[in-house]
mmCIF file with all atom_site columns, all heavy atoms in Angstrom:
data_model
loop_
_atom_site.group_PDB
_atom_site.id
_atom_site.type_symbol
_atom_site.label_atom_id
_atom_site.label_alt_id
_atom_site.label_comp_id
_atom_site.label_asym_id
_atom_site.label_entity_id
_atom_site.label_seq_id
_atom_site.pdbx_PDB_ins_code
_atom_site.Cartn_x
_atom_site.Cartn_y
_atom_site.Cartn_z
_atom_site.occupancy
_atom_site.B_iso_or_equiv
_atom_site.pdbx_formal_charge
_atom_site.auth_seq_id
_atom_site.auth_comp_id
_atom_site.auth_asym_id
_atom_site.auth_atom_id
_atom_site.pdbx_PDB_model_num
ATOM 1  N N   . GLY A 1 100 ? 108.560 108.513 89.891 1.00 0.00 ? 128 GLY A N   1
ATOM 2  C CA  . GLY A 1 100 ? 109.299 107.254 89.836 1.00 0.00 ? 128 GLY A CA  1
ATOM 3  C C   . GLY A 1 100 ? 109.276 106.505 91.153 1.00 0.00 ? 128 GLY A C   1
ATOM 4  O O   . GLY A 1 100 ? 108.531 106.848 92.071 1.00 0.00 ? 128 GLY A O   1
ATOM 5  N N   . ALA A 1 101 ? 110.097 105.451 91.204 1.00 0.00 ? 129 ALA A N   1
ATOM 6  C CA  . ALA A 1 101 ? 110.197 104.623 92.402 1.00 0.00 ? 129 ALA A CA  1
ATOM 7  C C   . ALA A 1 101 ? 111.578 103.981 92.432 1.00 0.00 ? 129 ALA A C   1
ATOM 8  O O   . ALA A 1 101 ? 112.261 103.936 91.413 1.00 0.00 ? 129 ALA A O   1
ATOM 9  C CB  . ALA A 1 101 ? 109.118 103.545 92.394 1.00 0.00 ? 129 ALA A CB  1
ATOM 10 N N   . LEU A 1 102 ? 111.965 103.501 93.622 1.00 0.00 ? 130 LEU A N   1
ATOM 11 C CA  . LEU A 1 102 ? 113.275 102.846 93.754 1.00 0.00 ? 130 LEU A CA  1
ATOM 12 C C   . LEU A 1 102 ? 113.075 101.387 94.100 1.00 0.00 ? 130 LEU A C   1
ATOM 13 O O   . LEU A 1 102 ? 112.567 101.040 95.164 1.00 0.00 ? 130 LEU A O   1
ATOM 14 C CB  . LEU A 1 102 ? 114.119 103.593 94.791 1.00 0.00 ? 130 LEU A CB  1
ATOM 15 C CG  . LEU A 1 102 ? 114.464 104.974 94.209 1.00 0.00 ? 130 LEU A CG  1
ATOM 16 C CD1 . LEU A 1 102 ? 114.386 106.056 95.233 1.00 0.00 ? 130 LEU A CD1 1
ATOM 17 C CD2 . LEU A 1 102 ? 115.801 104.941 93.493 1.00 0.00 ? 130 LEU A CD2 1
ATOM 18 N N   . LEU A 1 103 ? 113.451 100.536 93.161 1.00 0.00 ? 131 LEU A N   1
ATOM 19 C CA  . LEU A 1 103 ? 113.282 99.105  93.308 1.00 0.00 ? 131 LEU A CA  1
ATOM 20 C C   . LEU A 1 103 ? 114.528 98.497  93.939 1.00 0.00 ? 131 LEU A C   1
ATOM 21 O O   . LEU A 1 103 ? 115.570 99.137  94.034 1.00 0.00 ? 131 LEU A O   1
ATOM 22 C CB  . LEU A 1 103 ? 113.093 98.458  91.934 1.00 0.00 ? 131 LEU A CB  1
ATOM 23 C CG  . LEU A 1 103 ? 111.826 98.805  91.167 1.00 0.00 ? 131 LEU A CG  1
ATOM 24 C CD1 . LEU A 1 103 ? 111.979 98.359  89.714 1.00 0.00 ? 131 LEU A CD1 1
ATOM 25 C CD2 . LEU A 1 103 ? 110.638 98.127  91.812 1.00 0.00 ? 131 LEU A CD2 1
ATOM 26 N N   . ARG A 1 104 ? 114.411 97.207  94.279 1.00 0.00 ? 132 ARG A N   1
ATOM 27 C CA  . ARG A 1 104 ? 115.567 96.444  94.738 1.00 0.00 ? 132 ARG A CA  1
ATOM 28 C C   . ARG A 1 104 ? 116.694 96.547  93.697 1.00 0.00 ? 132 ARG A C   1
ATOM 29 O O   . ARG A 1 104 ? 116.435 96.531  92.495 1.00 0.00 ? 132 ARG A O   1
ATOM 30 C CB  . ARG A 1 104 ? 115.142 94.972  94.892 1.00 0.00 ? 132 ARG A CB  1
ATOM 31 C CG  . ARG A 1 104 ? 116.174 94.043  95.459 1.00 0.00 ? 132 ARG A CG  1
ATOM 32 C CD  . ARG A 1 104 ? 116.468 94.296  96.907 1.00 0.00 ? 132 ARG A CD  1
ATOM 33 N NE  . ARG A 1 104 ? 115.304 94.152  97.762 1.00 0.00 ? 132 ARG A NE  1
ATOM 34 C CZ  . ARG A 1 104 ? 114.944 92.992  98.345 1.00 0.00 ? 132 ARG A CZ  1
ATOM 35 N NH1 . ARG A 1 104 ? 115.633 91.903  98.145 1.00 0.00 ? 132 ARG A NH1 1
ATOM 36 N NH2 . ARG A 1 104 ? 113.891 92.958  99.123 1.00 0.00 ? 132 ARG A NH2 1
ATOM 37 N N   . ASN A 1 105 ? 117.937 96.670  94.176 1.00 0.00 ? 133 ASN A N   1
ATOM 38 C CA  . ASN A 1 105 ? 119.080 96.703  93.259 1.00 0.00 ? 133 ASN A CA  1
ATOM 39 C C   . ASN A 1 105 ? 119.005 95.530  92.285 1.00 0.00 ? 133 ASN A C   1
ATOM 40 O O   . ASN A 1 105 ? 118.663 94.418  92.688 1.00 0.00 ? 133 ASN A O   1
ATOM 41 C CB  . ASN A 1 105 ? 120.401 96.616  94.035 1.00 0.00 ? 133 ASN A CB  1
ATOM 42 C CG  . ASN A 1 105 ? 120.649 97.848  94.885 1.00 0.00 ? 133 ASN A CG  1
ATOM 43 O OD1 . ASN A 1 105 ? 120.049 98.889  94.653 1.00 0.00 ? 133 ASN A OD1 1
ATOM 44 N ND2 . ASN A 1 105 ? 121.520 97.727  95.861 1.00 0.00 ? 133 ASN A ND2 1
ATOM 45 N N   . ALA A 1 106 ? 119.343 95.786  91.033 1.00 0.00 ? 134 ALA A N   1
ATOM 46 C CA  . ALA A 1 106 ? 119.205 94.748  90.007 1.00 0.00 ? 134 ALA A CA  1
ATOM 47 C C   . ALA A 1 106 ? 119.980 93.490  90.367 1.00 0.00 ? 134 ALA A C   1
ATOM 48 O O   . ALA A 1 106 ? 119.549 92.385  90.083 1.00 0.00 ? 134 ALA A O   1
ATOM 49 C CB  . ALA A 1 106 ? 119.666 95.290  88.659 1.00 0.00 ? 134 ALA A CB  1
ATOM 50 N N   . GLY A 1 107 ? 121.127 93.624  91.020 1.00 0.00 ? 135 GLY A N   1
ATOM 51 C CA  . GLY A 1 107 ? 121.934 92.457  91.388 1.00 0.00 ? 135 GLY A CA  1
ATOM 52 C C   . GLY A 1 107 ? 121.552 91.847  92.721 1.00 0.00 ? 135 GLY A C   1
ATOM 53 O O   . GLY A 1 107 ? 122.248 90.963  93.222 1.00 0.00 ? 135 GLY A O   1
ATOM 54 N N   . MET A 1 108 ? 120.455 92.331  93.316 1.00 0.00 ? 136 MET A N   1
ATOM 55 C CA  . MET A 1 108 ? 119.910 91.837  94.587 1.00 0.00 ? 136 MET A CA  1
ATOM 56 C C   . MET A 1 108 ? 120.733 92.213  95.817 1.00 0.00 ? 136 MET A C   1
ATOM 57 O O   . MET A 1 108 ? 120.269 92.159  96.938 1.00 0.00 ? 136 MET A O   1
ATOM 58 C CB  . MET A 1 108 ? 119.759 90.295  94.582 1.00 0.00 ? 136 MET A CB  1
ATOM 59 C CG  . MET A 1 108 ? 118.514 89.774  93.926 1.00 0.00 ? 136 MET A CG  1
ATOM 60 S SD  . MET A 1 108 ? 117.025 90.383  94.726 1.00 0.00 ? 136 MET A SD  1
ATOM 61 C CE  . MET A 1 108 ? 116.936 89.312  96.163 1.00 0.00 ? 136 MET A CE  1
ATOM 62 N N   . ARG A 1 109 ? 122.008 92.526  95.626 1.00 0.00 ? 137 ARG A N   1
ATOM 63 C CA  . ARG A 1 109 ? 122.871 92.755  96.797 1.00 0.00 ? 137 ARG A CA  1
ATOM 64 C C   . ARG A 1 109 ? 122.746 94.180  97.312 1.00 0.00 ? 137 ARG A C   1
ATOM 65 O O   . ARG A 1 109 ? 122.538 95.112  96.551 1.00 0.00 ? 137 ARG A O   1
ATOM 66 C CB  . ARG A 1 109 ? 124.333 92.480  96.431 1.00 0.00 ? 137 ARG A CB  1
ATOM 67 C CG  . ARG A 1 109 ? 124.694 91.017  96.453 1.00 0.00 ? 137 ARG A CG  1
ATOM 68 C CD  . ARG A 1 109 ? 126.189 90.849  96.416 1.00 0.00 ? 137 ARG A CD  1
ATOM 69 N NE  . ARG A 1 109 ? 126.756 91.435  95.212 1.00 0.00 ? 137 ARG A NE  1
ATOM 70 C CZ  . ARG A 1 109 ? 127.086 90.730  94.126 1.00 0.00 ? 137 ARG A CZ  1
ATOM 71 N NH1 . ARG A 1 109 ? 126.923 89.439  94.101 1.00 0.00 ? 137 ARG A NH1 1
ATOM 72 N NH2 . ARG A 1 109 ? 127.601 91.332  93.078 1.00 0.00 ? 137 ARG A NH2 1
#
Side-chain angles (χ1 to χ4, degrees):
Chain A
L130 292 140
L131 294 166
R132 184 69 60 90
N133 293 341
M136 278 300 281
R137 279 194 300 261

